[in-house]
Amino acid sequence: MASHELPLAGSYDDLLVALSIVIAILASYAALDLARRVTAAQGRARILWLTGGATAMGFGIWSMHYIGMLAFRLPVPVQYDWPTVLLSLVAAILASAIALFVVSRHKMGVIRAFLGSTLMGSGIAAMHYIGMAAMRLPAMCHYSLALVTLSVVLAIVISLVALFLTFYFRGETTAWSWRKILSALVMGAAIPVMHYSGMAAASFTASPSEHQDLSHAVNVSSLSAAGIVIVAVMVLGLVPLASLTFDSLSTTRQLAARYFLSLGVISVLTILGTLLVQRQGRESQSDARVVNISGRQRMLSQAIAKDALLVAHSRDTAERQRLVEDLRSLDTLWHQSHSGLNRGDPELGVPGMNSPEIRRMFVVLEPDYDAISRATQEMITKVSKENEPADVSGEVSAILAHEGPYLKAMNAIVFEYESEATTRASGENRLYFGLLLFVLGVLLLQGLLVLRPALTRIQQGISQLELAKQALYRKATFLELLQAVAVAANEAPSVETALQFTLDRICKHTGWPVGHVYFVAKKTRTELISSTLWHLDDAPKFAAFRQVTRETPLPIGRGLPGRVAENAKPLWIPDINEDTNFPRRSAAFDLGVKGAFGFPVLAQGEVVAVLEFFSNKIEKPDDELLTVMANVSAQLGQVIERTGAQQELARKVEDLARSNADLELFAYVASHDLQEPLRMVASYTQLLARRYQGKLGAEADEFIGFAVDGATRMQQLIQDLLSYSRLTTRAKKHSFTSAEAACRSALENLRESVKSSNALVSVEPLPTVLGDATQLTQLFQNLVGNAIKYRNERRPEIRVAAKPNGNEWTFSVQDNGIGIEPQYSERIFQMFQRLHTRGEYSGTGIGLAICKKIVENHGGKIWVESQPGHGTTFLFTIPWPERTEI
Amino acid sequence: MSSRTIEILLVEDNPGDVRLTLEAFKEGRVLNNFTVMSDGVEALAYLRRQGQYANAVQPDLILLDLNLPKKDGREVLAEIKVDERLMKIPVVVLTTSAAEEDIARAYSRHANCYITKPVDLNQFLNVVHSIESFWLTLVKLPPQ
């Protein structure tokens, strides 16, 4: 037949184009990740990563290319020579290997980059054109050299860009960094550009397909297309998945990642399945049409035969013309359908993609077809040309002769078409079911890998929480117990009350029926005395036990309490029947007592009491209870120590009071009884002086004078000593006193001496202090008195003032008297120390010692600052009262 | 100024002190007759005219020391001042003690006054003269 030299216009299936771009992006992303892996790996691992990565990436690139090719629809059937296809895959893998190798080196210099990109670009171009070469179709492929060159250059340039991006971002460790994603997008967009420019370089013109080697040609159905997409997605998807499990994500994140991944896989599969179903629909539509049309061929041929016969037998010209017209239209349709079935016809809606078997059948059919066709044509020409009935018998017989074999062959073809369609449909059904099963499998896997671990973790979490809650509850109850005991211990008026409370509380808390306290004998410290402190849930029942306890002497080391006291540690007996050192065992056994437990109460490191408890069940040691008991015993120990200390304190206070009373009595007696003989001496010597003055001689007078003088002084000294001692024994409790009032009072007492010395005394505002009014008066009296006494020829000017200083008041008594030399500033405060003779200034020298004692009683200090000849300032401090004193 | 002799009871255990007091009063102007008791029991017996003191003269003034053997001056004071017949007799506590409690207690037992014996002789003589001028001259003693 006529060979058509028509250019074949190709079209692109948008969906597949989109898919190819998606695969390209995935492949780029995987490339980036792989680059990081390879760079990071060493030795054998590196080689493993390199080969595996190259395979995955190569497959990705190749599948992108392939889907792109499948997206390209031509009016003629296209098949692929699978060995060549495999070769293109190899080319893709090699190109990837080169790329990964280059980017995983330490440095990527310009030269290396260019070399690498050239190799890689050439590899990719090679893959592309080898892939094109694998096409088997009834068409000639022409390549525009300019576009081919452009596509190769583009391949090299894009490879260069890809290498750079991959090299510089290979360090990105985060799985979803925007840099990586951006690079993936860029590369993912660029690679299809390269591919489609390569496709644009090719143009097809129709030509018979016999020239090509079809021995290995296969149809690439939607089935395979779907398969390629799935595998590509999964392979590329594995790369980040591999990273995900190696990265040290938390378990929760890993689970979530797995979950989302499986969701992703399922959605991809679902989309693919839907696409598949759509495709299947379209394909079955086209299959149906093919079967239809091929079926119609039979009918048409029969109609042609019939018409031919009719023409032959018809004498009516009009009828013959009509028949011929009919024949013509039939023949045209028949012809069109035949060529459509073989080469495809968009008008008829047949793709023209025939399997080898069908082609073979058509070849068999061809002679008959040609014969019929020729005969028909001749007949048409003859009849339409001549008006009179022509002799078409030859043609008719030719037609009839070939009709039979034609029909038979066509039947076979129709049958073949049908069975192929059915096989395809069932194959696709199988694939569909396979896909469904796969989805189910993924769901199941997800259930195993995600749900179950997650549920297990949740369950574990809950059980842990449960345990924690229980532990917390136990701790809370123990704390409560401890707190109650602590409060009781603090508030209890006596040790016994605290102990009884503790017994009751512990028994209530543990549910044990019997509790009891033993005291360590204070005097001997070698045995335990049973106290009357018991806690009995059932008093009558345990009365016998009480009795036995009272009657059983327990030296230290014997029995439960004995051992506890000996070791100063708690003791737990799960079952007393198993215990050898338990004297009261028989009595306890009769009452059904099984478990026993005792703990010591320590005061100042020594065991003073032992608490014991009994239970009617065999009890396992409870560590928490033991810890709480240790705390309880500490509290009780503190109570005992405290009461002991309080008693000690009361005793000491009593002793002090007694001692003070004794001292006071002594002082009183001393003054009183010493005074009397003194008076005798003084009075009679004076009487002597009066009566016998001048009669005994000057010497006698002198002697008498000294005697009297001595006695008088002695009395004064005794008075001074007495008032000094009274500062302590008569010390009153300090209260808020006005220092100013005390000073005024002192001045009142000194009225006479102030008047007689014509002293000018100025008192500045003085504060209120915490102290003893009497003593403060004495203090001021002594100081001001001294100031007046130790005056010089000037008029005495005395100034009393007070100044706040931190947390105390500093008082000052300043005069303009004779002053004190610095080396004596300590000595003057000592008892009976004087710096002048009695003749110069009167006094016993007790005044300042009394001042010092008073100041010390008030918690202060006293000192002197003086300039001999100019004056003296006595300074003393009285602290502000502490909060606790108020 | 009274012409009659004033009876004074001196309750004092120290003979030295007794002598001193007597000497001091000798230098005075008022005629007085001293009876000396040296312990509290005797003093009370005398006042109550018991035993050998059946014919005792009731004194017009009592000079009482606090520290006495057997019965303390404080007790004597207490007993005097609750006795119907004796309570009107003025009691001058004349003692060495200057202790506040002694003073307070004496007055609370209704002592008429409290004088501390000074050590100095001159002062003592002045005290005695003061007693004389006040109690024996100025003051109207209760009638017998």
Side-chain angles (χ1 to χ4, degrees):
Chain A
M1 297 260 76
S3 62
H4 312 258
E5 287 283 340
L6 298 166
L8 295 170
S11 63
Y12 283 98
D13 183 319
D14 300 322
L15 180 64
L16 283 173
V17 169
L19 271 175
S20 71
I21 295 177
V22 165
I23 292 177
I25 294 172
L26 281 174
S28 318
Y29 189 87
L32 284 164
D33 220 50
L34 283 166
R36 179 169 69 86
R37 294 281 161 204
V38 176
T39 317
Q42 307 280 1
R44 216 160 70 96
R46 181 173 253 222
I47 294 174
L48 264 161
W49 270 110
L50 195 60
T51 31
T55 314
M57 201 173 128
F59 188 83
I61 297 177
W62 172 83
S63 59
M64 177 257 131
H65 159 83
Y66 226 80
I67 299 294
M69 302 233 4
L70 291 174
F72 185 64
R73 291 298 161 90
L74 281 172
V76 297
V78 181
Q79 291 173 318
Y80 295 89
D81 181 41
W82 63 261
T84 321
V85 166
L86 271 169
L87 194 63
S88 68
L89 174 61
V90 168
I93 292 177
L94 270 172
S96 310
I98 293 169
L100 278 178
F101 182 76
V102 167
V103 302
S104 66
R105 309 309 290 162
H106 282 299
K107 293 186 296 172
M108 191 167 83
V110 175
I111 297 174
R112 187 176 284 156
F114 269 114
L115 197 63
S117 63
T118 311
L119 281 172
M120 189 176 152
S122 323
I124 290 178
M127 169 198 76
H128 179 86
Y129 290 109
I130 294 174
M132 298 283 293
M135 285 169 79
R136 296 280 180 267
L137 70 168
M140 287 281 286
C141 191
H142 305 283
Y143 289 101
S144 146
L145 194 62
L147 283 172
V148 167
T149 321
L150 178 68
S151 74
V152 174
V153 166
L154 269 175
I156 293 175
V157 165
I158 288 173
S159 304
L160 191 65
V161 169
L163 281 175
F164 267 116
L165 280 173
T166 318
F167 184 77
Y168 282 110
F169 293 148
R170 66 181 175 167
E172 292 282 330
T173 45
T174 40
W176 311 112
S177 81
W178 65 267
R179 280 202 199 88
K180 254 173 141 174
I181 293 175
L182 210 62
S183 316
L185 284 171
V186 163
M187 278 161 64
I191 294 170
V193 162
M194 177 175 68
H195 170 85
Y196 291 110
S197 59
M199 293 297 290
S203 56
F204 295 91
T205 50
S207 84
S209 52
E210 289 86 4
H211 302 302
Q212 297 170 343
D213 172 20
L214 295 169
S215 50
H216 296 113
V218 289
N219 252 340
V220 180
S221 59
S222 354
L223 198 70
S224 336
I228 294 171
V229 172
I230 292 170
V231 177
V233 166
M234 282 174 59
V235 164
L236 293 171
L238 271 173
V239 174
L241 179 66
S243 343
L244 274 176
T245 26
F246 286 134
D247 282 343
S248 53
L249 291 171
S250 71
T251 324
T252 320
R253 282 212 164 163
Q254 272 193 26
L255 286 175
R258 281 190 219 164
Y259 180 71
F260 282 116
L261 207 65
S262 45
L263 270 186
V265 168
I266 291 174
S267 15
V268 162
L269 289 174
T270 313
I271 292 171
L272 283 175
T274 318
L275 287 175
L276 206 62
V277 170
Q278 280 183 347
R279 271 154 190 265
Q280 208 181 341
R282 277 198 288 264
E283 270 181 9
S284 53
Q285 263 187 351
S286 121
D287 277 344
R289 263 199 291 277
V290 162
V291 166
N292 213 1
I293 286 172
S294 54
R296 193 175 62 176
Q297 287 297 75
R298 289 181 298 193
M299 187 206 78
L300 285 174
S301 68
Q302 282 170 334
I304 288 171
K306 190 186 90 190
D307 272 0
L309 265 173
L310 285 173
V311 163
H313 287 110
S314 164
R315 297 286 160 212
D316 183 7
T317 320
E319 201 188 331
R320 279 167 80 114
Q321 289 300 327
R322 191 183 50 81
L323 283 165
V324 160
E325 283 311 312
D326 192 36
L327 210 58
R328 209 196 301 273
S329 64
L330 282 169
D331 181 55
T332 315
L333 188 58
W334 191 64
H335 202 78
Q336 185 186 10
S337 302
H338 182 91
S339 78
L341 284 172
N342 273 307
R343 280 180 273 278
D345 188 337
E347 206 185 294
L348 288 175
V350 288
M353 307 268 208
N354 291 330
S355 67
E357 179 62 23
I358 301 234
R359 257 184 265 127
R360 199 182 51 78
M361 285 176 153
F362 267 112
V363 165
V364 165
L365 189 79
E366 203 68 22
D368 295 302
Y369 173 76
D370 279 341
I372 297 176
S373 187
R374 250 194 319 250
T376 317
Q377 285 297 319
E378 277 179 17
M379 196 186 298
I380 292 172
T381 329
K382 268 192 191 171
V383 173
S384 42
K385 228 182 6 189
E386 294 167 16
N387 276 333
E388 30 185 275
D391 178 24
V392 290
S393 55
E395 288 74 14
V396 170
S397 41
I399 289 171
L400 288 174
H402 290 277
E403 176 68 14
Y406 177 82
L407 275 177
K408 197 161 113 193
M410 206 61 210
N411 260 344
I413 288 174
V414 171
F415 189 73
E416 186 59 27
Y417 268 134
E418 276 176 349
S419 69
E420 275 180 8
T422 318
T423 318
R424 235 196 318 274
S426 66
E428 283 179 358
N429 271 339
R430 271 201 294 277
L431 179 70
Y432 191 62
F433 279 122
L435 221 62
L436 271 174
L437 281 173
F438 195 72
V439 168
L440 285 172
V442 171
L443 278 170
L444 221 95
L445 203 68
Q446 183 223 51
L448 271 172
L449 288 178
V450 177
L451 198 64
R452 219 169 113 243
L455 283 175
T456 320
R457 273 169 70 78
I458 292 172
Q459 188 63 40
Q460 274 174 353
I462 291 177
S463 341
Q464 273 174 0
L465 272 172
E466 206 40 64
L467 280 170
K469 196 173 82 163
Q470 279 173 2
L472 210 69
Y473 177 73
R474 256 205 314 280
K475 270 204 163 51
T477 18
F478 274 129
L479 264 169
E480 215 183 83
L481 172 66
L482 188 60
Q483 201 182 34
V485 169
V487 166
N490 267 324
E491 295 179 346
S494 69
V495 172
E496 284 74 23
T497 324
L499 283 170
Q500 184 67 52
F501 181 83
T502 309
L503 278 181
D504 295 333
R505 246 347 213 102
I506 292 177
C507 284
K508 187 170 94 155
H509 180 88
T510 53
W512 290 358
V514 181
H516 173 237
V517 177
Y518 270 96
F519 285 114
V520 173
K522 280 204 185 70
K523 294 193 185 66
T524 59
R525 298 208 159 274
T526 52
E527 59 178 8
L528 290 164
I529 301 172
S530 161
S531 75
T532 52
L533 301 168
W534 283 86
H535 173 92
L536 294 167
D537 279 354
D538 186 350
K541 178 171 164 197
F542 289 98
F545 187 67
R546 255 182 105 139
Q547 186 71 19
V548 171
T549 307
R550 232 202 325 273
E551 287 165 359
T552 315
L554 278 182
I556 303 254
R558 188 125 165 71
L560 165 69
R563 277 177 282 169
V564 169
E566 189 177 35
N567 302 321
K569 275 193 175 36
L571 182 63
W572 191 291
I573 303 175
D575 186 357
I576 53 165
N577 297 302
E578 313 276 322
D579 194 82
T580 47
N581 186 358
F582 202 82
R584 295 171 282 168
R585 194 190 323 160
S586 49
F589 182 70
D590 290 339
L591 295 161
V593 170
K594 291 203 174 64
F597 155 61
F599 70 91
V601 177
L602 297 148
Q604 286 165 330
E606 283 200 15
V607 180
V608 294
V610 174
L611 272 67
E612 58 172 11
F613 298 92
F614 296 97
S615 157
N616 16 16
K617 300 199 291 287
I618 298 180
E619 302 274 357
K620 282 201 309 290
D622 182 348
D623 284 329
E624 273 186 339
L625 183 64
L626 282 171
T627 317
V628 173
M629 289 310 147
N631 280 329
V632 166
S633 93
Q635 288 289 338
L636 290 172
Q638 277 179 14
V639 172
I640 293 176
E641 278 182 30
R642 190 168 45 91
T643 25
Q646 277 174 348
Q647 283 169 357
E648 183 74 20
L649 189 70
R651 248 200 321 278
K652 280 206 159 51
V653 165
E654 221 182 278
D655 284 346
L656 196 69
R658 208 175 23 248
S659 158
N660 259 4
D662 286 345
L663 221 65
E664 175 71 20
L665 188 66
F666 173 77
Y668 176 78
V669 164
S671 78
H672 216 255
D673 293 332
L674 283 175
Q675 293 277 0
E676 210 261 297
L678 257 179
R679 271 193 57 253
M680 292 294 103
V681 168
S683 304
Y684 277 101
T685 42
Q686 281 174 328
L687 202 52
L688 263 176
R690 269 168 85 89
R691 293 280 168 84
Y692 299 99
Q693 181 106 30
K695 293 176 190 159
L696 290 171
E699 251 186 12
D701 292 340
E702 207 185 327
F703 295 164
I704 288 170
F706 285 138
V708 169
D709 193 41
T712 322
R713 267 191 304 120
M714 175 102 173
Q715 213 224 9
Q716 187 57 47
L717 282 170
I718 290 175
Q719 285 295 341
D720 287 345
L721 214 57
L722 202 62
S723 34
Y724 186 84
S725 81
R726 285 209 182 118
L727 290 177
T728 316
T729 60
R730 294 236 184 122
K732 292 200 282 272
K733 186 170 187 292
H734 286 184
S735 59
F736 282 108
T737 322
S738 161
E740 193 155 334
C743 187
R744 298 259 172 237
S745 173
L747 289 174
E748 189 56 36
N749 292 342
L750 292 166
R751 197 156 39 104
E752 280 300 322
S753 38
V754 167
K755 207 154 75 155
S756 61
S757 62
N758 194 24
L760 182 63
V761 184
S762 64
V763 178
E764 291 186 17
L766 302 175
T768 306
V769 294
L770 192 66
D772 181 332
T774 316
Q775 289 189 5
L776 287 173
T777 307
Q778 180 76 57
L779 173 62
F780 282 115
Q781 193 168 327
N782 284 3
L783 290 175
V784 175
N786 275 358
I788 294 173
K789 185 157 64 169
Y790 293 98
R791 62 182 181 277
N792 51 20
E793 65 282 353
R794 290 188 294 226
R795 181 186 181 196
E797 284 173 19
I798 300 158
R799 190 173 142 260
V800 183
K803 210 171 46 182
N805 182 23
N807 60 343
E808 58 192 14
W809 288 100
T810 307
F811 292 83
S812 58
V813 178
Q814 187 184 31
D815 67 51
N816 60 349
I818 61 171
I820 301 168
E821 278 157 63
Q823 65 260 40
Y824 301 124
S825 47
E826 298 276 321
R827 208 176 116 179
I828 51 175
F829 290 105
Q830 288 169 18
M831 227 188 285
F832 299 134
Q833 287 295 326
R834 304 200 69 219
L835 301 178
H836 308 274
T837 65
R838 273 177 301 114
E840 294 167 321
Y841 295 97
S842 65
T844 52
I846 193 94
L848 284 176
I850 287 180
C851 292
K852 183 158 180 259
K853 195 83 180 22
I854 292 175
V855 166
E856 280 167 8
N857 276 358
H858 287 73
K861 285 191 327 289
I862 185 167
W863 69 101
V864 67
E865 283 163 17
S866 177
Q867 254 190 324
H870 286 105
T872 309
T873 307
F874 278 92
L875 298 133
F876 65 92
T877 60
I878 294 185
W880 278 346
E882 296 282 321
R883 286 251 174 111
T884 51
E885 294 176 307
I886 298 173
Chain B
M1 200 161 157
S2 169
S3 48
R4 135 177 108 81
T5 313
I6 310 289
E7 292 288 327
I8 302 177
L9 173 64
L10 174 62
V11 188
E12 169 66 64
D13 66 322
N14 183 352
D17 257 328
V18 168
R19 183 66 197 276
L20 262 178
T21 313
L22 289 175
E23 289 292 326
F25 270 98
K26 261 198 207 131
E27 296 185 9
R29 291 180 290 152
V30 179
L31 278 168
N32 43 62
N33 187 26
F34 269 91
T35 314
V36 179
M37 290 292 142
S38 50
D39 73 53
V41 170
E42 294 290 308
L44 280 170
Y46 178 86
L47 285 167
R48 290 178 184 141
R49 299 195 186 133
Q50 290 166 345
Q52 51 175 291
Y53 304 112
N55 297 321
V57 178
Q58 193 166 315
D60 297 302
L61 183 70
I62 301 174
L63 298 177
L64 180 63
D65 186 21
L66 289 180
N67 289 352
L68 298 168
K70 292 197 198 146
K71 206 168 245 184
D72 198 341
R74 299 166 187 88
E75 285 176 54
V76 172
L77 171 63
E79 284 188 39
I80 289 174
K81 289 299 178 180
V82 298
D83 190 315
E84 286 255 352
R85 201 172 57 84
L86 304 172
M87 57 166 54
K88 61 182 184 214
I89 307 172
V91 175
V92 173
V93 173
L94 188 62
T95 182
T96 47
S97 169
E100 266 183 38
E101 323 65 279
D102 285 335
I103 302 171
R105 241 180 285 156
Y107 276 112
S108 67
R109 290 194 172 105
H110 309 287
N112 292 73
C113 71
Y114 187 105
I115 297 175
T116 309
K117 282 190 241 181
V119 170
D120 186 70
L121 178 68
N122 286 326
Q123 285 177 11
F124 184 58
L125 293 172
N126 283 337
V127 162
V128 167
H129 293 144
S130 302
I131 292 173
E132 218 187 29
S133 26
F134 184 75
W135 281 103
L136 304 181
T137 313
L138 186 63
V139 159
K140 295 278 188 284
L141 292 169
Q144 285 293 329

